[in-house]
Amino acid sequence: MASVAPPVFKPFTLTLIQLGSIGSDKAANLQHAREMIVKAAKGNLDKKPQVVVLPECFNSPYGFVHFPAYAENIGYTAGKEYDIQASVSESVKMLSSAAKEFGIWLIGGSIPERDAETNNIYNTCTVYSPTGALIASHRKVHLFDIDIPGKITFKESETLTGGTTTNYFDTEFARIGLGLCYDVRFPELAMIAARRGCHAIVYPGAFNLTTGPLHWELLQRARANDNQVFFSMCSPARDMTAGYHSWGHSMVVDPYARVLAEADENETILHVDIDPEPFHEARAGIPVTKQRRFDVYPDVSA
């Protein structure tokens, strides 16, 4: 279990940026992402976000052949203060600057990361506090290697290495777990996050037009229901001119597995109020968190 108690769960607004126009020009991708963060951070008349989320691979085209060319050295080590000014990652600097300017918690989707020591490439999510500090990261643990005959073949392991840690971060209003896309198919990761005190779990992701209709909503509702947490995935917008066609449909699900909000396939911004009441209500009424039989089966979070 987590060594530090989670913060008291308080209401907050979660904002998902379903980003479009992700092309081959990294500078243009970063500029557009920043413009959308600015738009999202300003909120609307009744919702100003505390947490803003970008989609998976927001700074590059999605494809294992692209990852090496767009990879950046981040050099973050958990538990150690990160020097933003000394960072050589242009994506990290943009995200940090935006988080600080608007005073938001920013889950920076993911970017291809090249480890300076091993030269391995990871699909990495970075998280920033309202001061602009890089305070957490998650390297995608489960690589997207699939082959559905006649529909889609994709093999991230051609160029990527899988991460080896589970991760979350604390805000003043919630503990939030992290994952990336294909990680959602492996319930253990969400179980571990929930049992370490996470109130919400956020996975930037990019399902496609084959797996999206089948499992995008199903898996999010399953992870929310299994663990009685809020669960959300943030997708890129669909671009039929790109090499990879994202499903879109960024979503937020509550601890009863009810869909609170869902985008269509187009570029958009979702503002969703997260109310702790269903979290407490679900756990009190259907107390599975207190009924597990670890004398019969192992606790994956131990």
Side-chain angles (χ1 to χ4, degrees):
M1 297 297 289
S3 58
V4 178
V8 174
F9 192 12
K10 301 174 184 176
F12 69 96
T13 298
L14 175 65
T15 294
L16 309 182
I17 300 175
Q18 186 161 286
L19 191 68
S21 304
I22 302 173
S24 59
D25 185 334
K26 185 196 283 189
N29 294 338
L30 293 178
Q31 177 61 31
H32 182 55
R34 194 181 197 288
E35 290 169 354
M36 291 295 284
I37 294 170
V38 171
K39 186 176 180 181
K42 291 180 177 178
N44 55 28
L45 292 176
D46 60 346
K47 291 185 177 71
K48 184 171 174 58
Q50 281 82 46
V51 181
V52 174
V53 187
L54 284 169
E56 184 179 28
C57 287
F58 78 90
N59 77 344
S60 72
Y62 188 70
F64 60 84
V65 296
H66 301 296
F67 297 145
Y70 288 81
E72 300 178 14
N73 174 240
I74 298 174
Y76 173 78
T77 301
K80 293 185 178 180
E81 187 173 350
Y82 184 85
D83 187 348
I84 294 289
Q85 298 305 315
S87 176
V88 296
S89 168
E90 54 194 314
S91 299
V92 164
K93 287 185 173 180
M94 184 278 285
L95 295 167
S96 169
S97 172
K100 183 176 181 179
E101 181 177 349
F102 296 101
I104 55 174
W105 293 90
L106 179 58
I107 299 176
S110 77
I111 67 171
E113 175 200 6
R114 186 183 299 275
D115 188 288
E117 294 183 1
T118 65
N119 209 40
N120 289 339
I121 300 171
Y122 299 90
N123 187 347
T124 301
C125 173
T126 53
V127 181
Y128 305 81
S129 76
T131 66
L134 172 51
I135 52 89
S137 74
H138 175 78
R139 288 172 167 173
K140 190 175 190 177
V141 173
H142 304 93
L143 299 182
F144 184 47
D145 286 5
I146 68 167
D147 183 8
I148 303 176
K151 293 187 176 180
I152 183 170
T153 299
F154 202 95
K155 197 170 184 181
E156 279 188 326
S157 63
E158 288 281 349
T159 54
L160 294 183
T161 298
T164 58
T165 60
T166 61
N167 302 281
Y168 64 82
F169 65 99
D170 284 345
T171 68
E172 65 273 23
F173 45 80
R175 176 168 287 177
I176 300 175
L178 297 170
L180 279 169
C181 199
Y182 199 55
D183 284 338
V184 75
R185 290 188 180 274
F186 302 86
E188 294 86 353
L189 208 64
M191 288 179 189
I192 291 168
R195 292 177 199 170
R196 290 180 176 167
C198 290
H199 306 104
I201 301 175
V202 177
Y203 286 23
F207 275 35
N208 54 69
L209 301 191
T210 298
T211 60
L214 287 170
H215 300 141
W216 176 257
E217 178 180 330
L218 171 69
L219 287 166
Q220 292 181 73
R221 295 182 68 190
R223 298 294 85 82
N225 182 70
D226 288 347
N227 300 292
Q228 296 178 317
V229 295
F230 287 89
F231 201 96
S232 177
M233 295 184 74
C234 184
S235 171
R238 190 178 306 167
D239 179 359
M240 296 305 293
T241 69
Y244 183 90
H245 303 147
S246 295
W247 174 237
H249 294 267
S250 296
M251 182 176 292
V252 181
V253 181
D254 82 357
Y256 280 116
R258 297 176 297 205
V259 177
L260 299 182
E262 179 182 359
D264 58 16
E265 71 275 16
N266 301 305
E267 181 171 82
T268 192
I269 296 172
L270 288 181
H271 297 288
V272 184
D273 287 331
I274 303 299
D275 179 0
E277 184 57 32
F279 176 89
H280 299 303
E281 189 180 81
R283 291 182 171 212
I286 310 172
V288 296
T289 59
K290 300 176 181 178
Q291 296 171 329
R292 289 195 169 91
R293 293 287 307 277
F294 296 136
D295 60 321
V296 177
Y297 45 79
D299 177 1
V300 297
S301 70

